[in-house]
Every structure is written in C-alpha cells, then in structure tokens.
Amino acid sequence: MKTGLALSGGGIRGIAHLGVLKALEEKNIKVSIISGTSVGAMIGALYSHGYRPEFILEKIISTRFFKLLKPSWSLQGMLNMDKIGDLLAEFLPENNFSSLKIPLIIAATNLKKGVTEYFESGELITPILCSSCIPVVFNPVQFNGNLYIDGGVLNNLPVQPLTSRTDFIIGSHCNPIDDNYQRGGFKTLIERTMLMAINGNVIISKPLCNIIIEPPELKKFGGFELSKAEKIFTIGYKAGKKIVEKEFSN
C-alpha cells in the first residue's frame, strides 16, 4: 500500500508535523510520497532528504531558521528570501528533487496566473522559497519567468496531487482556528485574517484524506512563537500517536 502524507503550512505550528512523523515512524508506517506547502514544504524536504524528526527539531531550535521567516512588519519595504535560501542550502546541498529519498511535491501560488503550481523535479530550494513566501512581508520569488508567493494562499493542504499516486492519504494540518478570538493589535488582526482566509481552501482538501491529524491544542499558539517549538513538537507527536494507534491497530 502506498501512503501519501500532506503537510500544511502554519509557521512555527508546522513543527507539529515533526511530531506526527515521529509517531508514524514508531508505528513503522512508511510514507511513499510527501506533499507540502510553506513550512510543510520545508519540513517535507528535510525529512525526504533523510533527516530524522528529532534532528530537524534540534536544528530549527539551534539555528535562525524561523527567525528569518518572522514578519518584521517594517515600513521600509518588503524583505527577500535570500538568507532563508542560504540556510536551506546548508542542509540540502544537492539542491535537486532527485537527491531526495522520498518523492516530494511542493505547492506554490503563481502570482501572475493566480493558480496553484506543483513542483517535483529539478531545482529544489527555490520552489521551497516560492511556497514559503509570505505575502506582503516578502517580495514574490521569481522562478522560471513567473512570480510566486506562499502556497497556502490557494492550497494550504496540498492533497490533490497525491490522490492518483497513493492508496491511503494522511493529512497533517497545523492551522486549527481558535473560536474564542480576542481583539488585539494590528499584527494579531493580520495573522487572524490570513489564517481564516487560508483555512477556507483546507475545507476542500480535508475530505480527500483518509485520516486528518489536526491537534486542537495548536489553537493557542501564534504562527511565530519561536520559544514554543518543543511544546508544539510534543503536541504533534501525541496527536499523531493517538490517531495512528487507532487507525493502524491491526
């Protein structure tokens, strides 16, 4: 049986995917192919390369990885993704999909055409940057004559490319919406608005999964709470283990 795994975007909450991957490994569930958006694309690439979940977590904590993605909300203009690309190159030196041990599909939003595009061959790092390019915060990424922004804008849980290639699909979604929103400042409002907009397209993707792992505890975390990485990993692991034990008990 071929098992596909779709990893959503969600900022620092995406570390929950690593906990899910650990739970799958402990149950000896082999993932045949991975699709990912934004942080899901980053984690998918690192895992597909062969790095273990705990190693990826340690590197995320010890490097400036997520700090580079944290919005500065500066009025001095949008940032570029160059520093993030340099950091990814340290861990993905081959910079090609063909070097990955597990096939990977990356979703990004084509800004010119207004559609989701999927990358699965050729250069690896630039498609990851395309998929992770937060609108307004970062300048759109130029690639192959087009401009790209975060894949989550149109498809934050890229299940669709897995449906014809797998027998069983697991969706790991790290962006549940807190239903007890309290009015905050400008940054809180922007993050809340983006989260609601992105979750609209996830509604379409969820029914295509055989199982969905979506830890409700993630509601209390913001997308850029860098100090909560280990807690988020544990939440993902516990949620993944609970569902995996139930679904794969035989």
Side-chain angles (χ1 to χ4, degrees), residues 86 92 94 118 151 195 200 230:
D86 292 341
L92 302 167
E94 298 89 349
Y118 301 103
L195 184 61
E230 291 181 327

Side-chain angles (χ1 to χ4, degrees), residues 17-39:
H17 298 323
L18 295 172
V20 170
L21 285 165
K22 179 182 178 181
L24 293 176
E25 286 188 348
E26 289 183 350
K27 195 65 177 177
N28 294 318
I29 298 170
K30 182 179 180 181
V31 175
S32 304
I33 184 170
I34 296 174
S35 65
T37 291
S38 197
V39 66

Side-chain angles (χ1 to χ4, degrees), residues 6-15 17 34-47 56 60 65-66 68-71 81 84 88 92 97 104-109 116-119 124-135 137-138 141 148-158 172-175 194-195 198 201-202 223-224:
L7 304 176
S8 76
I12 197 71
R13 285 184 292 251
I15 288 177
H17 298 323
I34 296 174
S35 65
T37 291
S38 197
V39 66
M42 291 184 180
I43 287 175
L46 294 170
Y47 186 77
I56 299 172
I60 286 174
F65 201 85
F66 274 98
L68 294 175
L69 283 172
K70 187 175 182 179
M81 305 282 289
I84 302 169
L88 284 170
L92 302 167
F97 280 90
L104 174 69
I105 302 170
I106 292 175
T109 302
T116 298
E117 289 189 8
Y118 301 103
F119 301 93
L124 174 60
I125 291 177
T126 301
I128 296 174
L129 299 181
C130 292
S131 182
S132 309
C133 184
I134 303 171
V137 178
F138 292 100
V141 177
Y148 294 92
I149 57 174
D150 197 299
V153 171
L154 294 180
N155 193 347
N156 200 42
L157 187 66
S172 181
H173 182 240
C174 62
N175 259 346
M194 291 179 64
L195 184 61
I198 286 172
N201 63 63
V202 174
F224 300 96

Side-chain angles (χ1 to χ4, degrees), residues 7-8 13 19 25 34 38 55 64 72 99 144 154 169 188 190 245-248:
L7 304 176
S8 76
R13 285 184 292 251
E25 286 188 348
I34 296 174
S38 197
F55 176 85
R64 58 194 187 282
S72 62
S99 67
N144 292 340
L154 294 180
I169 299 176
T188 303
I190 291 295
E245 290 291 342
K246 178 182 178 181
E247 297 291 333
F248 297 91

Side-chain angles (χ1 to χ4, degrees), residues 141-210:
V141 177
Q142 293 188 352
F143 188 53
N144 292 340
N146 286 294
L147 293 174
Y148 294 92
I149 57 174
D150 197 299
V153 171
L154 294 180
N155 193 347
N156 200 42
L157 187 66
V159 178
Q160 292 80 359
L162 301 178
T163 56
S164 63
R165 310 188 196 195
T166 60
D167 307 300
F168 193 90
I169 299 176
I170 301 170
S172 181
H173 182 240
C174 62
N175 259 346
I177 296 180
D178 187 357
D179 55 6
N180 188 30
Y181 171 71
Q182 300 296 321
R183 183 175 179 178
F186 174 73
K187 290 190 290 184
T188 303
L189 176 62
I190 291 295
E191 185 175 345
R192 174 75 174 183
T193 303
M194 291 179 64
L195 184 61
M196 290 191 298
I198 286 172
N199 268 273
N201 63 63
V202 174
I203 294 173
I204 299 172
S205 299
K206 284 184 178 181
L208 300 177
C209 299
N210 295 95

